[in-house]
Amino acid sequence: MDNEEPLEPETEDEPKTEPAAQDSDKALYCEAEASVAAEKEKSGWESSETDLEIEDTEKLFTTGQRELYLEACKLVGVVPVSYFIRNMEESYVNLNHHGLGPTGTRAIAIALVSNTSIVTLELADNHITEEGALSLVEMLQENSFLQDLNISDNELGFKGASTISEFLQRNTSSLLNLQLSGNNFRDESAELLCQALSANYRIKMLDLSHNEFSDKGGEHVGQMLALNIGLQSLDLSWNHFHIRGAVALCNGLRANVTLQKLDLSMNGFGNEGATALGEVLRLNNSLVYLDVSSNDISNEGAAKISKGLEINESLKVLRLYLNPLSMDGAMSLILSIKRNTKSKMEEIDISNVLVSEQFTKTLDGVCAIHPQLDVTYKAVQGFSAKKMALLWTNPMKLIQSYADQHQITVADFFKSLNPKGTMTMSVGDFRKAMIQQDKVPMSRYQVRELIKKLDEKTGMVNFR
């Protein structure tokens, strides 16, 4: 629960009315809404960002929304969350780690039924359980403004998965992004969720990471991916997929045409799973981002993935961090990009791999063909500290020096790289422009550092 002080009770010279017990959420909504209608004629609106201190019932309610929430709290018997009261008219509300429990969540759900302001709601780690999930689902049937909902780490379990699955099957909500990480979902939960998602076309982003899906769960996910036509981003990291689950999941990806971002890190695909992924990359033209970090993929598996990269024309980001790769596996990856003139690859992460100077020379040749490409590795064997220091000279200082010499601003320099003349560019286009420009020559290392400073973590750099 929020640590802020609870609201003070009404003054004693006012008649107190105890809410009648209700048997259902429906009755609860009706009573709360009736109370709103009764209070509409009250005056004395206040707008305060400090904790509310109630001295007079005329000042108790600051807006209709706040009135509804306060009445809902009375009805279910919980102390109102003052942070929520102060932010009900914002588009983003973060109630993570507030100890709401199912009852506190129910009060918030009642208030959200008619809320038209909140677009993103964070409710992670609140022990809402399946009871709180039911309240939220009932609210989502009425609220057509909420688009992003995070109910991760809430002990939803099988019953919660069942409630959410029934909701997803209806395809009637405005919800686009649903985060369900860390909710103790097992394979039977995967079955229900995947059955619902097979026909759901509204959810675009789904996070099912940190659950307990095994190979059987992977089979359900694969079947869902073959049928789903809505998902664009799926996070399945930190589950328990191994060979059988990996192969089944990849079979589903063969037929999928909408998924763009897939996180499979921290599973157990192994080289057999990597082989299946390589086959998918030969056929799939929708995936843009693929993370298979820490999946026990060795040089053999990297070679299989490389076969797919020789043909693939859509993938831009490939993360293979924390796999048991050596320089041979790293070399097969970059050479596959060199052989594919239509490759759109922008980032390969093998940042635990120690490479040789020969590798960096080969990479220079690949980047001459694909200037948008950046490969992150651990270090170069035999590189002196002096040589590394030269490579890492502060790129912003170099650009500032050039701008001062030519009496222009740094922003003007960056804008000159953009054919559209705007203040934003995609990371890949910016990297390509920086490598190809000759006004301020830079190494790939310096361009990478520059992108870290300008990247908005959305795939775009902002020159402002």
Side-chain angles (χ1 to χ4, degrees):
M1 177 60 68
D2 197 334
N3 289 329
E4 298 176 32
E5 296 182 4
L7 299 173
E8 295 180 13
E10 297 174 345
T11 53
E12 292 187 2
D13 46 291
E14 298 251 339
K16 294 184 179 179
T17 57
E18 293 297 327
Q22 301 295 325
D23 295 327
S24 68
D25 285 349
K26 182 177 180 181
L28 191 56
Y29 285 111
C30 291
E31 182 163 348
E33 289 171 353
S35 176
V36 173
E39 294 289 339
K40 276 186 176 178
E41 296 181 1
K42 288 188 176 182
S43 61
W45 286 55
E46 283 189 349
S47 178
S48 174
E49 289 302 312
T50 61
D51 286 348
L52 299 175
E53 295 185 359
I54 307 306
E55 300 174 352
D56 186 309
T57 51
E58 291 296 314
K59 298 179 181 179
L60 175 60
F61 302 127
T62 58
T63 71
Q65 288 293 308
R66 291 168 183 163
E67 176 184 354
L68 177 59
Y69 175 58
L70 291 169
E71 190 66 22
C73 289
K74 289 182 184 178
L75 290 167
V76 301
V78 296
V79 177
V81 179
S82 56
Y83 168 85
F84 184 57
I85 295 171
R86 295 196 305 271
N87 290 276
M88 293 180 77
E89 296 174 7
E90 302 296 328
S91 61
Y92 175 81
V93 172
N94 186 340
L95 287 169
N96 294 341
H97 322 299
H98 269 69
L100 296 173
T103 310
T105 303
R106 190 180 183 195
I108 284 171
I110 292 171
L112 289 175
V113 167
S114 57
N115 185 285
T116 61
S117 300
I118 299 174
V119 176
T120 300
L121 177 63
E122 304 267 7
L123 289 174
D125 186 27
N126 275 292
H127 187 62
I128 73 173
T129 70
E130 65 272 11
E131 184 182 341
L134 180 60
S135 298
L136 291 172
V137 162
E138 290 174 347
M139 173 272 294
L140 288 168
Q141 295 303 317
E142 305 296 330
N143 182 305
S144 58
F145 294 87
L146 192 64
Q147 296 182 9
D148 304 322
L149 177 63
N150 181 4
I151 48 175
S152 299
D153 302 308
N154 270 299
E155 303 175 52
L156 301 185
F158 177 75
K159 290 183 179 179
S162 178
T163 297
I164 293 168
S165 298
E166 291 175 9
F167 157 71
L168 292 173
Q169 283 180 323
R170 298 189 188 107
N171 256 326
T172 57
S173 170
S174 60
L175 202 63
L176 302 176
N177 178 6
L178 180 58
Q179 297 179 61
L180 296 168
S181 176
N183 272 302
N184 302 319
F185 292 154
R186 302 179 190 275
D187 290 340
E188 57 269 26
S189 296
E191 182 177 10
L192 292 178
L193 290 167
C194 289
Q195 285 175 354
L197 289 164
S198 294
N200 183 287
Y201 54 84
R202 292 184 179 272
I203 298 294
K204 305 301 179 187
M205 301 174 65
L206 180 64
D207 183 357
L208 288 169
S209 64
H210 291 269
N211 280 295
E212 299 175 33
F213 300 151
S214 67
D215 285 341
K216 188 65 177 177
E219 291 175 357
H220 295 310
V221 172
Q223 293 166 6
M224 178 272 290
L225 287 174
L227 298 171
N228 180 276
I229 56 171
L231 274 180
Q232 296 174 3
S233 174
L234 178 61
D235 189 346
L236 292 167
S237 61
W238 293 93
N239 276 283
H240 307 294
F241 300 128
H242 293 90
I243 298 171
R244 184 162 59 93
V247 171
L249 197 152
C250 289
N251 285 338
L253 284 173
R254 288 168 177 259
N256 187 281
V257 295
T258 59
L259 194 67
Q260 298 175 22
K261 183 175 182 179
L262 179 60
D263 190 343
L264 295 167
S265 61
M266 306 298 168
N267 280 285
F269 272 39
N271 291 330
E272 292 85 351
T275 300
L277 279 172
E279 289 298 319
V280 166
L281 292 174
R282 295 171 67 91
L283 303 170
N284 183 291
N285 282 311
S286 62
L287 271 182
V288 175
Y289 177 106
L290 177 61
D291 191 342
V292 284
S293 299
S294 190
N295 264 281
D296 199 27
I297 297 172
S298 67
N299 291 342
E300 178 187 346
K304 298 296 184 181
I305 291 175
S306 297
K307 290 294 183 183
L309 295 178
E310 290 180 4
I311 298 174
N312 184 275
E313 298 179 16
S314 65
L315 197 65
K316 292 183 178 181
V317 179
L318 175 62
R319 303 205 181 283
L320 282 159
Y321 177 59
L322 289 179
N323 282 294
L325 299 176
S326 70
M327 192 171 58
D328 290 340
M331 189 69 81
S332 68
L333 290 168
I334 64 170
L335 289 178
S336 69
I337 304 301
K338 182 179 182 179
R339 298 186 189 104
N340 183 355
T341 57
K342 295 182 179 180
S343 174
K344 290 186 172 63
M345 188 67 72
E346 296 178 2
E347 297 179 32
I348 297 178
D349 182 357
I350 48 171
S351 49
N352 61 303
V353 179
L354 190 64
V355 301
S356 68
E357 195 164 354
Q358 180 58 46
F359 174 89
T360 64
K361 291 178 180 178
T362 303
L363 181 57
D364 287 339
V366 176
C367 290
I369 302 170
H370 298 283
Q372 80 282 359
L373 178 64
D374 185 36
V375 179
T376 308
Y377 43 82
K378 184 176 181 179
V380 181
Q381 295 172 340
F383 255 39
S384 66
K386 183 178 180 180
K387 193 169 185 179
M388 287 301 296
L390 182 62
L391 289 172
W392 290 96
T393 302
N394 190 324
M396 285 301 295
K397 287 185 177 180
L398 296 176
I399 293 171
Q400 184 67 63
S401 177
Y402 174 87
D404 292 344
Q405 290 174 14
H406 292 80
Q407 297 182 336
I408 62 173
T409 66
V410 172
D412 288 335
F413 169 80
F414 285 133
K415 285 177 67 176
S416 71
L417 303 175
N418 191 349
K420 297 179 182 179
T422 61
M423 297 296 284
T424 59
M425 288 178 74
S426 72
V427 169
D429 287 343
F430 178 73
R431 183 181 291 113
K432 182 177 181 179
M434 283 301 304
I435 293 295
Q436 292 181 331
Q437 60 85 29
D438 56 7
K439 297 174 183 176
V440 186
M442 287 191 184
S443 68
R444 292 192 309 275
Y445 312 96
Q446 291 168 315
V447 173
R448 184 186 305 154
E449 287 302 298
L450 198 57
I451 289 172
K452 287 180 181 179
K453 295 179 183 296
L454 302 174
D455 188 4
E456 296 185 308
K457 307 303 180 186
T458 59
M460 303 291 291
V461 293
N462 191 327
F463 305 145
R464 291 184 178 87

